[in-house]
Amino acid sequence: MDLKAKRTFRFIIYKIEEKQKRVMVEKLGEPAETYDDFAACLPADECRYVVFDFDFMTAENVPKSRIFFIAWSPDTARVRSKMIYASSKDRFKRELDGIQIELQATDPQCTIDRGSSEGDT
């Protein structure tokens, strides 16, 4: 809610703690942080859930914002981890409010198309 309503954070990275069997906040991105800052925070070989507040300009030069839910599952992650994140995703996402676009990401070099109002990658 802080990310959506108050715009307190640019992104929130969540991690599943397997031993505790719960999802925990791993990192809160400050409003001034960029997509590149966010991408640098993603682990190369572990899965995560992310909520990202993306600002962009439309073709008509109107400022807009979209809230993305990103399921980060790199190819190098353990199979068990990928299965846990995949099976928990829908339940976790239902707990979040205001998600507008959902993405599955495996490569940190993928970028959000800053010229698209739909936020395609």
Side-chain angles (χ1 to χ4, degrees), residues 67-112:
I67 297 178
F68 284 75
F69 175 80
I70 303 169
W72 170 247
S73 183
D75 293 335
T76 55
R78 292 185 346 253
V79 172
R80 175 176 167 74
S81 179
K82 289 181 188 183
M83 290 174 59
I84 290 170
Y85 275 80
S87 64
S88 305
K89 181 179 76 169
D90 288 336
R91 181 171 180 214
F92 177 69
K93 202 173 89 175
R94 279 195 302 267
E95 300 294 323
L96 303 173
D97 186 40
I99 300 299
Q100 296 163 309
I101 299 170
E102 180 180 340
L103 298 175
Q104 174 75 34
T106 59
D107 182 349
Q109 299 306 314
C110 279
T111 58
I112 297 173

Side-chain angles (χ1 to χ4, degrees), residues 12-25:
I12 304 171
I13 299 177
Y14 298 93
K15 176 181 182 177
I16 294 178
E17 289 292 340
E18 290 185 42
K19 292 179 183 176
Q20 298 174 3
K21 297 185 180 181
R22 63 183 221 166
V23 179
M24 302 179 70
V25 172

Side-chain angles (χ1 to χ4, degrees), residues 3 9-14 25 27-29 49-52:
L3 183 141
F9 308 110
R10 173 67 53 199
F11 59 87
I12 304 171
I13 299 177
Y14 298 93
V25 172
K27 172 139 175 71
L28 300 170
Y49 297 132
V50 181
V51 176
F52 187 87

